[in-house]
Amino acid sequence: QVQLVESGGGLVQAGGSLRLSCAASGRTFSDWRMGWFRQAPGKALEFVATIGRSDGNTVYADSVKGRFTISRDNAKSTVYLQMNSLKPEDSAVYSCAAERRLGVLSTVPTTYAYWGQGTQVTVSS
């Protein structure tokens, strides 16, 4: 199993920045591909970004491309989401997730086996 704990959420003004962290424990972190998803009230779970095990490959949702950056530090068993130029529509609960498939990076929530409990991000206008 993998345990995931997010941190770094909070309240920020539009145009500001936040960095989310997701600390993993359990199995070898570098075995897992990691993703960030978000869910706003009354809306479906939305893919944000994903990163490969150690090759640096990344995929982003169009809505965050150029503003958000996903990265990981396998030595610290942590994945990050740097969020810049935040907009009110970025407000949501952000969750990290882990999956072990091979092939292309996944943007589909159901392919992720383990999830954190999420951290709230609120962007005021």
Side-chain angles (χ1 to χ4, degrees):
Q1 283 194 345
V2 177
Q3 293 78 43
L4 303 173
V5 179
E6 301 94 339
S7 61
L11 174 64
V12 64
Q13 288 189 330
S17 298
L18 282 175
R19 188 174 85 152
L20 305 184
S21 299
C22 172
S25 60
R27 292 188 174 180
T28 305
F29 182 66
S30 58
D31 286 348
W32 299 87
R33 305 195 299 191
M34 301 299 296
W36 284 97
F37 293 80
R38 67 186 182 185
Q39 189 165 26
K43 294 190 177 182
L45 189 64
E46 178 187 15
F47 165 76
V48 176
T50 182
I51 187 168
R53 294 176 178 83
S54 59
D55 54 12
N57 285 345
T58 57
V59 175
Y60 295 92
D62 287 344
S63 59
V64 307
K65 203 172 294 182
R67 300 188 298 122
F68 291 11
T69 302
I70 187 171
S71 62
R72 65 189 295 162
D73 185 335
N74 286 341
K76 295 183 178 179
S77 298
T78 301
V79 62
Y80 304 97
L81 186 67
Q82 178 67 45
M83 306 186 296
N84 299 328
S85 303
L86 283 161
K87 305 175 181 179
E89 53 263 42
D90 293 319
S91 297
V93 174
Y94 284 72
S95 299
C96 65
E99 63 103 358
R100 293 190 67 178
R101 293 178 321 110
L102 301 176
V104 297
L105 292 173
S106 175
T107 66
V108 178
T110 54
T111 63
Y112 288 77
Y114 296 101
W115 291 77
Q117 292 197 335
T119 184
Q120 177 70 49
V121 171
T122 303
V123 184
S124 63
S125 58

